[in-house]
Amino acid sequence: MDWKNPAEVLDWESARATRKKTLEAVWKQRWYPLLYGLPSDARMPQDRPPVVSLGVDHHQMAGESFQGRLQRLDHAPPGTPENDNYIPRMVAWDPDREEVIFSPAAKRATRDKKIKAGCLAQDGLGAKANRELACGLLGGEVVCTSGHHFRIGYECGNRYCVTCGPKGARKLFAQKHESLFQVAQRLLLCWDLNCKQCYRIRKEPGEHKTELPHWPPMPGEKPRMVIAKIDFTVKNTGQAAPELIRELNRCIRRFCRAIERLGWVENRQSYGLATCDELGGGNTNIHAHGVYVGPWLPQDKNKLQLSNLWAEITGYDGLLPRSMSGGKACRGTVRRRGRDSRTAHFRGGFILSIKPAKDFAEALYHAIKYPAKFAELAAPERLADLELIFHRVRRFHCFAAFYNPQVEKSEVICRSCPSCGSKLLDRGPWRLLSSAVLRSLKDLDAFALEMNRYKALKTPDRGPP
């Protein structure tokens, strides 16, 4: 094919579109019957699936996994390997009837789970809705080489899941604290040969993993390097969309370039900034919480240099407060490529808050704690809205020295049996978690926590669990 010939390129594009429509029709005919519990070779009209009464063969048999049921309905040949990560379809949105359809197994989920999954399916996030229902409802059985059996529950991994959201926030905090703390420790070094704190950390870095030199500072002393909690806000326009959050992240990136041009920081390796995008508890107030480690930034009460700079970067179109009207030293420092790339509904903002933190862990917790907070307190409809707004949007961002840090990697600890320490074998297929509970299998995570508590508080009169 000659790609320089416009006629041949147009013919190729039209043929590609036709093939795509044909494949979509084939996929629709293949997967819709499974959704309604029918075998794949069942005949059905293209416009709407038929309403039929399910026979006994279409229900799940005793001891049969969901994957096995799907393979049996799909007439899969015996011995076909099952995909352990595949979750069966449990919820769907019927646009003709305007109602949510749940499978018989999905009706066992809690009320909040079904409400949130229904909202996600209606918004077009069918995969997330399916995982949301499977979380806490499906599980599997694992066994170690010594013969100890445990049950594990399926985890959806959604950011605003009641169980996986707080767990994911704690996991993110642990991962980022381990890598970013080493960078913060390196930034706070004064490199004075007579400084005992810096000399001790440089000589034996592995033995002082929790110590920060020259922080917190002495009362009344202005430190050269600071650890601060920083918040970026924009004007609330009553709308929340993924593009507005991406525009906020672009403004934060321009903020970093601006403080470098102003000379407030020496270069990109002399400071670190990490931010996490958030929304208000029950509103559309888009903002970002972050942790800053670097040189002292000017933010006087009368001039508010950082707030003026942030107002210029975001293109704030309102009247600045009287205390900020005189701060014109930052004007003209922002460089934009081409025309203004801000969206039509992005109104900018002038409020930028920066406060010193007690330590690095407190500042990082300030940035990451909010997903866990909202997941535990918000209504299921609100959680579904947050999942839609942050769909395919990266929330946690690292800038300057915090971006891709070159730090020592910790040893990866493989998961083992909490009872004997032997290797855990591969998990079996996903089943209803109630079947494992009825068999009195212990939860793997709960038993591991109990064993760790027993080892830490071991007494002669107390045996292992």
Side-chain angles (χ1 to χ4, degrees):
M1 175 179 175
D2 187 10
W3 293 99
K4 297 182 180 180
N5 190 351
E8 293 188 11
V9 173
L10 291 176
D11 294 339
W12 175 80
E13 290 179 350
S14 61
R16 182 184 180 186
T18 305
R19 288 194 302 270
K20 184 178 179 181
K21 293 181 180 179
T22 305
L23 286 176
E24 289 177 354
V26 171
W27 290 338
K28 183 177 180 181
Q29 179 138 5
R30 180 181 302 171
W31 291 104
Y32 264 29
L34 288 178
L35 176 62
Y36 291 87
L38 297 175
S40 291
D41 57 356
R43 297 294 179 180
M44 55 174 282
Q46 294 290 338
D47 53 350
R48 184 173 179 178
V51 180
V52 297
S53 59
L54 300 180
V56 180
D57 296 338
H58 296 138
H59 292 280
Q60 188 175 0
M61 302 299 180
E64 184 183 30
S65 64
F66 282 160
Q67 292 96 328
R69 173 181 176 269
L70 291 179
Q71 289 181 359
R72 177 171 55 82
L73 292 178
D74 202 21
H75 300 289
T80 303
E82 297 179 346
N83 184 5
D84 292 340
N85 296 325
Y86 176 73
I87 298 300
R89 197 70 177 271
M90 307 178 71
V91 62
W93 168 254
D94 191 348
D96 298 333
R97 300 181 182 179
E98 295 184 355
E99 63 179 1
V100 182
I101 302 174
F102 293 100
S103 66
K107 294 181 180 179
R108 301 186 182 186
T110 61
R111 175 179 173 273
D112 292 345
K113 286 279 187 180
K114 289 188 287 187
I115 293 176
K116 182 182 176 182
C119 296
L120 291 175
Q122 186 176 357
D123 293 334
L125 303 180
K128 283 192 174 182
N130 204 39
R131 297 199 306 268
E132 185 75 26
L133 280 177
C135 184
L137 190 63
L138 302 184
E141 180 180 352
V142 292
V143 59
C144 68
T145 54
S146 301
H148 297 107
H149 293 259
F150 301 96
R151 59 178 171 89
I152 58 173
Y154 174 78
E155 297 179 356
C156 62
N158 291 340
R159 295 170 177 172
Y160 293 95
C161 174
V162 178
T163 56
C164 298
K167 186 180 295 185
R170 292 191 295 267
K171 183 179 179 180
L172 178 64
F173 175 82
Q175 291 176 349
K176 296 302 179 181
H177 184 273
E178 185 176 3
S179 59
L180 300 184
F181 184 85
Q182 300 181 34
V183 181
Q185 192 180 52
R186 187 169 63 246
L187 290 174
L188 292 176
L189 294 175
C190 65
W191 301 102
D192 186 1
L193 298 179
N194 298 324
C195 180
K196 296 182 179 180
Q197 297 184 29
C198 299
Y199 176 76
R200 185 170 62 253
I201 294 177
R202 290 197 306 267
K203 186 177 181 181
E204 299 175 353
E207 308 219 351
H208 304 279
K209 292 184 178 181
T210 60
E211 183 179 350
L212 289 173
H214 308 292
W215 193 265
M218 299 297 294
E221 178 186 356
K222 182 179 179 180
R224 181 184 61 89
M225 306 289 286
V226 299
I227 299 178
K229 298 179 289 186
I230 187 169
D231 299 330
F232 300 91
T233 62
V234 293
K235 189 173 181 180
N236 189 359
T237 60
Q239 297 180 358
E243 182 56 34
L244 298 180
I245 300 174
R246 295 189 182 98
E247 179 61 26
L248 173 63
N249 296 326
R250 286 191 287 266
C251 289
I252 296 176
R253 194 177 298 110
R254 291 198 292 265
F255 172 82
C256 295
R257 302 292 84 81
I259 63 175
E260 295 169 7
R261 286 192 294 269
L262 287 170
W264 293 344
V265 294
E266 185 177 354
N267 50 48
R268 297 186 184 182
Q269 296 302 320
S270 62
Y271 73 102
L273 176 64
T275 60
C276 186
D277 304 328
E278 286 302 335
L279 272 166
N283 51 50
T284 56
N285 184 18
I286 300 175
H287 56 281
H289 302 281
V291 50
Y292 169 80
V293 180
W296 182 281
L297 297 179
Q299 180 74 340
D300 300 335
K301 293 184 178 179
N302 296 327
K303 297 182 179 180
L304 296 177
Q305 296 93 329
L306 288 180
S307 299
N308 274 283
L309 179 61
W310 181 246
E312 182 187 359
I313 290 174
T314 58
Y316 181 69
D317 55 357
L319 296 177
L320 296 177
R322 186 172 298 178
S323 60
M324 296 175 55
S325 59
K328 301 295 184 181
C330 304
R331 297 297 178 183
T333 60
V334 180
R335 302 176 185 175
R336 294 190 178 91
R337 297 181 180 180
R339 300 182 61 183
D340 197 346
S341 61
R342 290 182 287 113
T343 58
H345 300 284
F346 194 81
R347 300 287 298 278
F350 64 92
I351 299 178
L352 190 149
S353 172
I354 183 169
K355 299 178 181 178
K358 295 180 181 180
D359 52 18
F360 183 78
E362 180 194 11
L364 186 61
Y365 172 74
H366 168 74
I368 299 180
K369 68 179 180 180
Y370 290 91
K373 176 182 176 182
F374 290 157
E376 296 175 356
L377 301 178
E381 295 86 356
R382 175 62 177 173
L383 296 179
D385 293 338
L386 293 175
E387 294 282 2
L388 178 62
I389 294 171
F390 286 98
H391 180 59
R392 293 185 177 179
V393 176
R394 188 176 180 180
R395 293 180 56 255
F396 191 82
H397 303 266
C398 296
F399 304 94
F402 284 167
Y403 179 77
N404 193 18
Q406 302 296 329
V407 297
E408 297 180 2
K409 295 184 179 180
S410 60
E411 183 181 357
V412 179
I413 302 177
C414 299
R415 201 172 190 182
S416 59
C417 177
S419 180
C420 61
S422 58
K423 181 181 178 181
L424 292 173
L425 302 179
D426 294 337
R427 173 188 50 79
W430 293 118
R431 304 175 185 271
L432 285 175
L433 194 59
S434 58
S435 61
V437 175
L438 293 176
R439 292 182 53 197
S440 301
L441 291 178
K442 293 184 178 180
D443 184 79
L444 181 63
D445 295 333
F447 186 76
L449 180 62
E450 191 175 355
M451 286 296 297
N452 293 334
R453 188 181 294 112
Y454 163 73
K455 294 176 182 178
L457 306 175
K458 187 176 181 180
T459 55
D461 56 344
R462 180 184 175 188

